[in-house]
Amino acid sequence: INAEYGAAVQFMQCPRLLLRAVRCRPLCTSSGIRTALFSLELNAPPEVLDAIADKLEANWYREPSDLAKLSPEQATALGVPLRVFNELATFKHEVPEEEVDSQWGTTETAQKARVPYAKTRVARRKGADYALMQKDAPPLLWAELGRFERWMTTESYGQVEPPIRAATAEVYVRLLRLGLGWALTKHPHKAEGDLQEIFFPDSSRDSAAMAFEFLQFLQTERGAASSYQTNVCRALTKCAKFVYRNQVDGQDSSADGYKELGVIRALQGLQKRCAKKASVAGRISDEQQKWLSWPEYLRAVSILKQEAYLPEGTAKHRAQRFQRYLICAVLSCIPDRQRTIRELELDRTFVFDSSVGCWMVKHTADDYKTGKAYGERPPLALPSSLNQCIELWLKQHRPMFEPSHTFLFSNNRG
């Protein structure tokens, strides 16, 4: 789980978790029509289903059973498509047998469904955490990690390789912290050393031996997938380039001077071996457990919407529920990587276009993962039916987190 965004990011990283959280919960009686619409496999956009539900609820049709005395002609007059009317008229929602809490519209089973994310993982972790933490790290080593991250993301004169995205650099630092935690546990006498002393004492090929040992540890003791080991190799290769940057930076940028270093060639060889194994290896976890069908996802979004408007709880709790719904609603309109949605910034990548009356997502080449290949994206428009929700989020709920940034979404600490 990405700790920056708590439970909301859990849903984006593992949609099955979203379904588990809502599948066993009966629906609020005041929104049976809306829930039934999203439960049916109509293959219609969410905003269309919302509009139909609004029309029916405005005429006091709250439950599918309320449509029993409504004729097809009357339904058509209300703007309800005939197929939708027929499906709703025969819809039956199965309510769990557990006793329902009349205030919350939840069951005892639903309350038990709120379990820690670690217990809902499809692939189980093996062993205890071992990453190097700031409280345990020597101050000089932790400061060097900060310089490493800045070196990866900041352009400097004579630099051979272009900067990488901050999000990618964060991943490399996190993987390197795992390696450092393992190395310092295995070789505690290196605790006061720097990156060079701990991992790459010199630029020769033999200097990659520690990296090879770490990969063996990941494979045999942690059960890491070959694809994961490939990413670790990338992070270690980047670290080695940082350590020996002064031997390369300033040379002709048209040539890859790093290949002259034996340690870099050895690390790249390890990376190719891991990548080759990953191309034919099976999945560590059951992929079928990670995904929802589209109707299941829309139903989950509908239930989250109901919860978002519940009056119960503190203002902060209501804001958390509303953010959870809004993130999933945006994803239902613009299915994208969770990181892309998480990093939306107000007045930069997330703007209101008054000419069309809706919110837009605008990404430059630096704002999404494959930007280097495809360049600037065409603007992605959110449906106007979300305007009111977004305005409510910005004016009422987002301030509850006291954010100190310009991102659209926030964690609990602002």
Side-chain angles (χ1 to χ4, degrees):
I1 178 174
N2 185 319
E4 289 297 314
Y5 291 89
V9 178
Q10 294 180 24
F11 291 154
M12 294 189 287
Q13 291 180 332
C14 187
R16 277 283 165 193
L17 179 61
L18 174 63
L19 184 62
R20 291 172 190 170
V22 299
R23 173 174 280 165
C24 60
R25 294 152 72 170
L27 307 176
C28 299
T29 55
S30 61
S31 304
I33 282 285
R34 191 177 301 274
T35 302
L37 278 169
F38 281 90
S39 299
L40 300 172
E41 298 184 2
L42 298 172
N43 295 323
E47 60 269 21
V48 173
L49 298 179
D50 267 326
I52 295 173
D54 290 341
K55 293 175 183 177
L56 290 170
E57 290 175 350
N59 287 274
W60 293 12
Y61 291 101
R62 299 284 185 176
E63 297 291 331
S65 57
D66 295 340
L67 302 178
K69 296 182 180 181
L70 189 67
S71 67
E73 292 77 13
Q74 292 172 321
T76 302
L78 289 174
V80 180
L82 189 58
R83 182 196 168 191
V84 174
F85 169 74
N86 291 333
E87 294 278 358
L88 285 175
T90 58
F91 176 82
K92 292 183 179 180
H93 176 64
E94 297 182 0
V95 179
E97 295 179 357
E98 294 91 340
E99 183 180 356
V100 176
D101 185 318
S102 60
Q103 180 183 11
W104 283 88
T106 59
T107 65
E108 181 181 357
T109 304
Q111 300 300 327
K112 292 179 180 179
R114 301 179 186 276
V115 295
Y117 175 66
K119 294 185 179 181
T120 64
R121 290 173 58 92
V122 176
R124 300 297 180 186
R125 289 180 176 176
K126 297 181 179 180
D129 293 335
Y130 60 96
L132 179 68
M133 306 300 291
Q134 183 174 7
K135 61 182 178 63
D136 303 319
L140 292 179
L141 179 59
W142 196 262
E144 190 177 19
L145 283 175
R147 292 195 298 272
F148 172 50
E149 185 168 6
R150 289 191 295 274
W151 175 80
M152 288 190 288
T153 57
T154 305
E155 189 172 7
S156 60
Y157 178 75
Q159 192 171 359
V160 173
E161 294 184 335
I164 62 177
R165 293 189 67 203
T168 305
E170 289 175 7
V171 173
Y172 286 171
V173 170
R174 185 170 71 246
L175 293 175
L176 184 58
R177 283 175 45 227
L178 291 171
L180 289 171
W182 166 83
L184 295 181
T185 301
K186 184 177 179 64
H187 305 284
H189 63 280
K190 294 185 177 183
E192 298 302 322
D194 56 9
L195 290 175
Q196 179 176 351
E197 183 178 346
I198 295 173
F199 258 113
F200 311 111
D202 57 59
S203 61
S204 69
R205 188 177 185 85
D206 293 340
S207 190
M210 182 72 79
F212 177 77
E213 288 184 40
F214 181 47
L215 292 175
Q216 290 295 103
F217 162 78
L218 290 174
Q219 180 179 348
T220 58
E221 297 189 32
R222 305 292 292 193
S226 298
S227 56
Y228 181 83
Q229 296 177 51
T230 304
N231 288 332
V232 172
C233 285
R234 292 193 181 100
L236 292 175
T237 302
K238 202 71 173 178
C239 177
K241 290 179 178 180
F242 168 73
V243 169
Y244 294 105
R245 62 193 182 280
N246 292 331
Q247 295 186 24
V248 178
D249 286 0
Q251 298 182 12
D252 183 3
S253 60
S254 63
D256 188 355
Y258 285 115
K259 287 187 177 180
E260 300 299 321
L261 304 178
V263 63
I264 299 299
R265 293 197 302 272
L267 289 170
Q268 290 176 340
L270 289 175
Q271 179 180 327
K272 289 180 180 178
R273 286 169 54 186
C274 291
K276 185 175 181 180
K277 288 193 294 184
S279 65
V280 295
R283 295 288 185 177
I284 296 294
S285 59
D286 184 0
E287 292 294 304
Q288 295 299 320
Q289 294 296 318
K290 292 185 176 182
W291 306 103
L292 302 178
S293 68
W294 190 240
E296 283 179 324
Y297 182 76
L298 294 181
R299 177 176 179 270
V301 174
S302 176
I303 296 176
L304 288 175
K305 183 176 182 179
Q306 297 174 37
E307 292 185 343
Y309 288 96
L310 288 174
E312 289 81 359
T314 64
K316 186 73 170 287
H317 290 154
R318 293 194 297 271
Q320 290 170 342
R321 294 199 302 265
F322 202 92
Q323 176 171 241
R324 189 176 301 129
Y325 156 67
L326 187 56
I327 288 174
C328 293
V330 171
L331 283 169
S332 73
C333 303
I334 304 178
D336 208 332
R337 290 180 174 86
Q338 58 90 7
R339 190 176 78 186
T340 306
I341 303 299
R342 173 164 48 90
E343 294 177 354
L344 288 175
E345 290 187 61
L346 294 170
D347 300 323
R348 194 180 76 81
T349 58
F350 191 74
V351 298
F352 185 78
D353 191 334
S354 56
S355 63
V356 294
C358 64
W359 288 89
M360 293 279 196
V361 174
K362 295 184 177 181
H363 284 142
T364 65
D366 295 329
D367 293 323
Y368 66 106
K369 184 175 181 179
T370 53
K372 290 183 179 179
Y374 300 105
E376 184 173 342
R377 270 179 168 178
L380 304 173
L382 290 173
S384 57
S385 58
L386 282 180
N387 286 0
Q388 185 177 0
C389 294
I390 295 172
E391 294 295 333
L392 186 60
W393 162 250
L394 293 175
K395 295 179 180 179
Q396 179 177 329
H397 294 300
R398 185 175 178 272
M400 294 298 102
F401 297 99
E402 300 180 357
S404 56
H405 52 75
T406 59
F407 293 103
L408 175 62
F409 300 111
S410 180
N411 65 9
N412 291 337
R413 302 180 302 276

Short mmCIF file of all heavy atoms in Angstrom, two decimals, residues 138 140-141 144 147 176 179-180 182-184 186-203 206-211 213 236 239-240 242-245 263:
data_model
loop_
_atom_site.label_atom_id
_atom_site.label_comp_id
_atom_site.label_asym_id
_atom_site.label_seq_id
_atom_site.Cartn_x
_atom_site.Cartn_y
_atom_site.Cartn_z
N PRO A 138 22.59 5.59 9.67
CA PRO A 138 23.59 6.61 10.00
C PRO A 138 23.24 7.91 9.28
O PRO A 138 22.85 7.89 8.11
CB PRO A 138 24.90 6.01 9.48
CG PRO A 138 24.64 4.53 9.39
CD PRO A 138 23.19 4.39 9.06
N LEU A 140 24.92 10.26 7.86
CA LEU A 140 25.63 10.53 6.61
C LEU A 140 25.10 9.66 5.48
O LEU A 140 24.99 10.12 4.33
CB LEU A 140 27.13 10.28 6.81
CG LEU A 140 27.85 11.26 7.75
CD1 LEU A 140 29.32 10.89 7.89
CD2 LEU A 140 27.71 12.69 7.23
N LEU A 141 24.76 8.41 5.79
CA LEU A 141 24.22 7.52 4.76
C LEU A 141 22.85 7.99 4.31
O LEU A 141 22.53 7.98 3.11
CB LEU A 141 24.16 6.08 5.29
CG LEU A 141 23.58 5.03 4.33
CD1 LEU A 141 24.40 4.97 3.04
CD2 LEU A 141 23.52 3.66 5.01
N GLU A 144 23.18 10.85 2.06
CA GLU A 144 23.63 10.44 0.73
C GLU A 144 22.47 9.89 -0.10
O GLU A 144 22.41 10.09 -1.32
CB GLU A 144 24.74 9.40 0.84
CG GLU A 144 25.40 9.12 -0.51
CD GLU A 144 26.56 8.14 -0.39
OE1 GLU A 144 26.64 7.41 0.62
OE2 GLU A 144 27.39 8.11 -1.32
N ARG A 147 20.85 12.83 -1.61
CA ARG A 147 21.61 13.34 -2.76
C ARG A 147 21.43 12.45 -3.97
O ARG A 147 21.34 12.93 -5.11
CB ARG A 147 23.09 13.44 -2.39
CG ARG A 147 23.42 14.51 -1.36
CD ARG A 147 24.91 14.81 -1.32
NE ARG A 147 25.69 13.63 -0.92
CZ ARG A 147 25.96 13.31 0.34
NH1 ARG A 147 25.47 14.05 1.35
NH2 ARG A 147 26.69 12.25 0.63
N LEU A 176 16.47 0.48 -2.98
CA LEU A 176 17.82 0.57 -2.46
C LEU A 176 17.84 0.49 -0.94
O LEU A 176 18.75 -0.11 -0.35
CB LEU A 176 18.48 1.86 -2.94
CG LEU A 176 19.95 2.06 -2.55
CD1 LEU A 176 20.80 0.92 -3.09
CD2 LEU A 176 20.46 3.40 -3.05
N GLY A 179 17.83 -3.05 -0.04
CA GLY A 179 19.17 -3.62 -0.18
C GLY A 179 20.10 -3.20 0.93
O GLY A 179 20.89 -4.01 1.45
N LEU A 180 20.03 -1.95 1.34
CA LEU A 180 20.89 -1.46 2.42
C LEU A 180 20.53 -2.13 3.74
O LEU A 180 21.41 -2.47 4.54
CB LEU A 180 20.76 0.06 2.53
CG LEU A 180 21.40 0.87 1.39
CD1 LEU A 180 21.01 2.34 1.51
CD2 LEU A 180 22.92 0.73 1.42
N TRP A 182 19.26 -5.08 4.16
CA TRP A 182 19.79 -6.46 4.11
C TRP A 182 21.31 -6.46 4.28
O TRP A 182 21.86 -7.26 5.05
CB TRP A 182 19.41 -7.09 2.77
CG TRP A 182 20.17 -8.35 2.47
CD1 TRP A 182 19.88 -9.60 2.92
CD2 TRP A 182 21.37 -8.46 1.69
NE1 TRP A 182 20.82 -10.50 2.46
CE2 TRP A 182 21.74 -9.83 1.70
CE3 TRP A 182 22.14 -7.55 0.99
CZ2 TRP A 182 22.87 -10.28 1.02
CZ3 TRP A 182 23.26 -8.00 0.30
CH2 TRP A 182 23.62 -9.35 0.33
N ALA A 183 22.00 -5.55 3.58
CA ALA A 183 23.47 -5.52 3.61
C ALA A 183 24.00 -5.20 5.00
O ALA A 183 24.96 -5.82 5.46
CB ALA A 183 23.98 -4.50 2.59
N LEU A 184 23.38 -4.24 5.68
CA LEU A 184 23.86 -3.85 7.01
C LEU A 184 23.54 -4.90 8.06
O LEU A 184 24.22 -4.99 9.09
CB LEU A 184 23.28 -2.50 7.40
CG LEU A 184 23.74 -1.32 6.53
CD1 LEU A 184 23.13 -0.02 7.02
CD2 LEU A 184 25.27 -1.22 6.51
N LYS A 186 23.60 -8.16 7.28
CA LYS A 186 24.54 -9.22 6.95
C LYS A 186 25.98 -8.80 7.28
O LYS A 186 26.80 -9.63 7.68
CB LYS A 186 24.42 -9.56 5.46
CG LYS A 186 25.28 -10.73 5.00
CD LYS A 186 25.02 -11.03 3.53
CE LYS A 186 25.89 -12.17 3.02
NZ LYS A 186 25.57 -13.46 3.69
N HIS A 187 26.28 -7.52 7.07
CA HIS A 187 27.63 -7.00 7.31
C HIS A 187 27.55 -5.78 8.23
O HIS A 187 27.72 -4.64 7.79
CB HIS A 187 28.30 -6.63 6.00
CG HIS A 187 28.34 -7.74 4.99
ND1 HIS A 187 29.22 -8.79 5.09
CD2 HIS A 187 27.59 -7.96 3.87
CE1 HIS A 187 29.04 -9.61 4.06
NE2 HIS A 187 28.05 -9.14 3.32
N PRO A 188 27.28 -5.97 9.52
CA PRO A 188 27.10 -4.82 10.44
C PRO A 188 28.34 -3.94 10.56
O PRO A 188 28.23 -2.78 10.94
CB PRO A 188 26.76 -5.49 11.77
CG PRO A 188 27.25 -6.90 11.65
CD PRO A 188 27.12 -7.26 10.21
N HIS A 189 29.54 -4.47 10.20
CA HIS A 189 30.75 -3.66 10.30
C HIS A 189 30.78 -2.53 9.28
O HIS A 189 31.61 -1.63 9.37
CB HIS A 189 31.99 -4.55 10.12
CG HIS A 189 32.06 -5.21 8.77
ND1 HIS A 189 31.33 -6.35 8.47
CD2 HIS A 189 32.75 -4.89 7.65
CE1 HIS A 189 31.59 -6.71 7.23
NE2 HIS A 189 32.44 -5.85 6.70
N LYS A 190 29.85 -2.58 8.30
CA LYS A 190 29.79 -1.54 7.28
C LYS A 190 28.80 -0.43 7.64
O LYS A 190 28.49 0.42 6.81
CB LYS A 190 29.39 -2.13 5.93
CG LYS A 190 30.42 -3.08 5.33
CD LYS A 190 29.99 -3.52 3.94
CE LYS A 190 31.05 -4.41 3.28
NZ LYS A 190 30.67 -4.78 1.90
N ALA A 191 28.29 -0.45 8.85
CA ALA A 191 27.22 0.47 9.25
C ALA A 191 27.59 1.94 9.08
O ALA A 191 26.72 2.77 8.82
CB ALA A 191 26.80 0.20 10.69
N GLU A 192 28.85 2.27 9.23
CA GLU A 192 29.26 3.67 9.11
C GLU A 192 29.78 4.01 7.72
O GLU A 192 30.30 5.10 7.49
CB GLU A 192 30.35 3.98 10.15
CG GLU A 192 29.90 3.81 11.59
CD GLU A 192 28.69 4.69 11.93
OE1 GLU A 192 28.64 5.84 11.44
OE2 GLU A 192 27.81 4.23 12.67
N GLY A 193 29.61 3.09 6.77
CA GLY A 193 30.09 3.33 5.42
C GLY A 193 29.10 4.08 4.56
O GLY A 193 27.94 4.30 4.94
N ASP A 194 29.55 4.48 3.36
CA ASP A 194 28.66 5.14 2.41
C ASP A 194 28.21 4.11 1.38
O ASP A 194 28.50 2.91 1.49
CB ASP A 194 29.37 6.32 1.75
CG ASP A 194 30.67 5.92 1.07
OD1 ASP A 194 30.94 4.70 0.96
OD2 ASP A 194 31.43 6.81 0.65
N LEU A 195 27.48 4.57 0.35
CA LEU A 195 26.95 3.65 -0.66
C LEU A 195 28.08 2.89 -1.35
O LEU A 195 27.93 1.69 -1.65
CB LEU A 195 26.13 4.43 -1.69
CG LEU A 195 24.80 5.00 -1.20
CD1 LEU A 195 24.15 5.85 -2.28
CD2 LEU A 195 23.85 3.87 -0.79
N GLN A 196 29.18 3.56 -1.61
CA GLN A 196 30.28 2.90 -2.30
C GLN A 196 30.87 1.79 -1.44
O GLN A 196 31.07 0.67 -1.91
CB GLN A 196 31.37 3.92 -2.64
CG GLN A 196 32.58 3.29 -3.35
CD GLN A 196 33.60 4.32 -3.77
OE1 GLN A 196 33.36 5.51 -3.69
NE2 GLN A 196 34.75 3.86 -4.25
N GLU A 197 31.12 2.07 -0.18
CA GLU A 197 31.72 1.06 0.69
C GLU A 197 30.80 -0.11 0.93
O GLU A 197 31.24 -1.26 1.02
CB GLU A 197 32.12 1.70 2.02
CG GLU A 197 32.82 0.74 2.98
CD GLU A 197 33.23 1.42 4.27
OE1 GLU A 197 33.22 2.68 4.31
OE2 GLU A 197 33.57 0.71 5.23
N ILE A 198 29.49 0.16 1.05
CA ILE A 198 28.53 -0.91 1.37
C ILE A 198 28.28 -1.81 0.17
O ILE A 198 28.29 -3.04 0.29
CB ILE A 198 27.21 -0.30 1.87
CG1 ILE A 198 27.43 0.42 3.20
CG2 ILE A 198 26.14 -1.39 2.03
CD1 ILE A 198 26.23 1.19 3.69
N PHE A 199 28.07 -1.22 -1.00
CA PHE A 199 27.64 -2.02 -2.14
C PHE A 199 28.71 -2.15 -3.25
O PHE A 199 28.90 -3.24 -3.78
CB PHE A 199 26.36 -1.43 -2.76
CG PHE A 199 25.12 -2.19 -2.38
CD1 PHE A 199 24.15 -1.63 -1.58
CD2 PHE A 199 24.92 -3.49 -2.83
CE1 PHE A 199 23.01 -2.32 -1.22
CE2 PHE A 199 23.79 -4.21 -2.48
CZ PHE A 199 22.83 -3.62 -1.67
N PHE A 200 29.35 -1.07 -3.61
CA PHE A 200 30.24 -1.07 -4.78
C PHE A 200 31.60 -0.48 -4.41
O PHE A 200 31.88 0.69 -4.69
CB PHE A 200 29.61 -0.27 -5.92
CG PHE A 200 28.18 -0.65 -6.21
CD1 PHE A 200 27.13 0.23 -5.92
CD2 PHE A 200 27.87 -1.89 -6.74
CE1 PHE A 200 25.82 -0.11 -6.17
CE2 PHE A 200 26.55 -2.24 -7.00
CZ PHE A 200 25.52 -1.36 -6.72
N PRO A 201 32.47 -1.27 -3.76
CA PRO A 201 33.75 -0.74 -3.29
C PRO A 201 34.66 -0.22 -4.40
O PRO A 201 35.50 0.65 -4.15
CB PRO A 201 34.38 -1.93 -2.56
CG PRO A 201 33.66 -3.13 -3.09
CD PRO A 201 32.29 -2.68 -3.41
N ASP A 202 34.52 -0.76 -5.60
CA ASP A 202 35.29 -0.24 -6.74
C ASP A 202 34.46 -0.43 -8.00
O ASP A 202 33.37 -0.98 -7.96
CB ASP A 202 36.66 -0.92 -6.85
CG ASP A 202 36.55 -2.43 -6.98
OD1 ASP A 202 35.89 -2.91 -7.93
OD2 ASP A 202 37.08 -3.15 -6.11
N SER A 203 34.99 0.03 -9.12
CA SER A 203 34.23 0.00 -10.37
C SER A 203 34.48 -1.25 -11.20
O SER A 203 34.05 -1.33 -12.36
CB SER A 203 34.56 1.24 -11.21
OG SER A 203 35.95 1.27 -11.53
N ASP A 206 33.93 -7.38 -10.29
CA ASP A 206 33.74 -8.12 -9.04
C ASP A 206 32.95 -7.33 -8.01
O ASP A 206 32.44 -7.90 -7.04
CB ASP A 206 35.11 -8.48 -8.45
CG ASP A 206 35.85 -9.50 -9.32
OD1 ASP A 206 35.18 -10.18 -10.12
OD2 ASP A 206 37.09 -9.58 -9.21
N SER A 207 32.83 -6.02 -8.21
CA SER A 207 32.12 -5.18 -7.25
C SER A 207 30.62 -5.43 -7.26
O SER A 207 29.91 -4.96 -6.37
CB SER A 207 32.40 -3.70 -7.56
OG SER A 207 31.93 -2.88 -6.52
N ALA A 208 30.12 -6.18 -8.25
CA ALA A 208 28.69 -6.49 -8.32
C ALA A 208 28.33 -7.72 -7.50
O ALA A 208 27.16 -8.14 -7.50
CB ALA A 208 28.27 -6.69 -9.77
N ALA A 209 29.30 -8.29 -6.78
CA ALA A 209 29.03 -9.52 -6.02
C ALA A 209 27.98 -9.31 -4.94
O ALA A 209 27.13 -10.18 -4.71
CB ALA A 209 30.34 -10.03 -5.40
N MET A 210 28.02 -8.16 -4.25
CA MET A 210 27.03 -7.89 -3.21
C MET A 210 25.62 -7.81 -3.80
O MET A 210 24.65 -8.31 -3.21
CB MET A 210 27.37 -6.60 -2.49
CG MET A 210 26.43 -6.26 -1.34
SD MET A 210 26.64 -7.31 0.09
CE MET A 210 28.08 -6.57 0.83
N ALA A 211 25.49 -7.21 -4.96
CA ALA A 211 24.19 -7.13 -5.62
C ALA A 211 23.68 -8.52 -5.97
O ALA A 211 22.48 -8.82 -5.82
CB ALA A 211 24.30 -6.28 -6.88
N GLU A 213 24.39 -11.33 -4.40
CA GLU A 213 23.97 -11.97 -3.15
C GLU A 213 22.58 -11.48 -2.73
O GLU A 213 21.77 -12.27 -2.23
CB GLU A 213 24.98 -11.68 -2.04
CG GLU A 213 26.31 -12.41 -2.18
CD GLU A 213 27.21 -12.15 -0.99
OE1 GLU A 213 26.70 -12.12 0.15
OE2 GLU A 213 28.42 -11.95 -1.20
N LEU A 236 19.79 -0.79 -8.45
CA LEU A 236 21.20 -0.94 -8.08
C LEU A 236 22.11 -0.39 -9.17
O LEU A 236 23.16 0.20 -8.88
CB LEU A 236 21.50 -2.41 -7.83
CG LEU A 236 20.83 -3.03 -6.58
CD1 LEU A 236 21.10 -4.52 -6.51
CD2 LEU A 236 21.31 -2.34 -5.32
N CYS A 239 22.20 3.25 -8.78
CA CYS A 239 23.02 3.61 -7.63
C CYS A 239 24.50 3.56 -7.99
O CYS A 239 25.28 4.45 -7.61
CB CYS A 239 22.71 2.66 -6.48
SG CYS A 239 23.72 2.94 -5.01
N ALA A 240 24.90 2.52 -8.73
CA ALA A 240 26.31 2.40 -9.13
C ALA A 240 26.71 3.56 -10.04
O ALA A 240 27.82 4.08 -9.96
CB ALA A 240 26.54 1.06 -9.82
N PHE A 242 25.48 6.52 -9.89
CA PHE A 242 25.61 7.68 -9.01
C PHE A 242 26.97 7.65 -8.29
O PHE A 242 27.65 8.68 -8.18
CB PHE A 242 24.46 7.68 -8.00
CG PHE A 242 24.63 8.65 -6.87
CD1 PHE A 242 24.49 10.02 -7.07
CD2 PHE A 242 24.95 8.20 -5.59
CE1 PHE A 242 24.65 10.92 -6.02
CE2 PHE A 242 25.11 9.09 -4.54
CZ PHE A 242 24.96 10.45 -4.76
N VAL A 243 27.35 6.49 -7.81
CA VAL A 243 28.59 6.37 -7.05
C VAL A 243 29.79 6.73 -7.92
O VAL A 243 30.73 7.42 -7.47
CB VAL A 243 28.73 4.93 -6.50
CG1 VAL A 243 30.14 4.71 -5.95
CG2 VAL A 243 27.70 4.68 -5.40
N TYR A 244 29.77 6.31 -9.18
CA TYR A 244 30.92 6.54 -10.06
C TYR A 244 30.61 7.57 -11.15
O TYR A 244 31.17 7.52 -12.24
CB TYR A 244 31.35 5.21 -10.68
CG TYR A 244 31.89 4.26 -9.64
CD1 TYR A 244 31.13 3.18 -9.20
CD2 TYR A 244 33.12 4.49 -9.04
CE1 TYR A 244 31.61 2.32 -8.22
CE2 TYR A 244 33.60 3.65 -8.05
CZ TYR A 244 32.84 2.57 -7.64
OH TYR A 244 33.32 1.76 -6.65
N ARG A 245 29.70 8.50 -10.82
CA ARG A 245 29.31 9.52 -11.80
C ARG A 245 30.48 10.41 -12.21
O ARG A 245 30.54 10.87 -13.35
CB ARG A 245 28.17 10.37 -11.24
CG ARG A 245 28.53 11.15 -9.97
CD ARG A 245 27.29 11.72 -9.31
NE ARG A 245 27.60 12.52 -8.11
CZ ARG A 245 27.88 11.99 -6.92
NH1 ARG A 245 27.93 10.68 -6.77
NH2 ARG A 245 28.12 12.78 -5.89
N VAL A 263 31.56 -2.78 -13.23
CA VAL A 263 30.44 -3.01 -12.34
C VAL A 263 29.11 -2.75 -13.05
O VAL A 263 28.12 -3.46 -12.81
CB VAL A 263 30.56 -2.13 -11.07
CG1 VAL A 263 30.51 -0.65 -11.40
CG2 VAL A 263 29.49 -2.50 -10.05
#
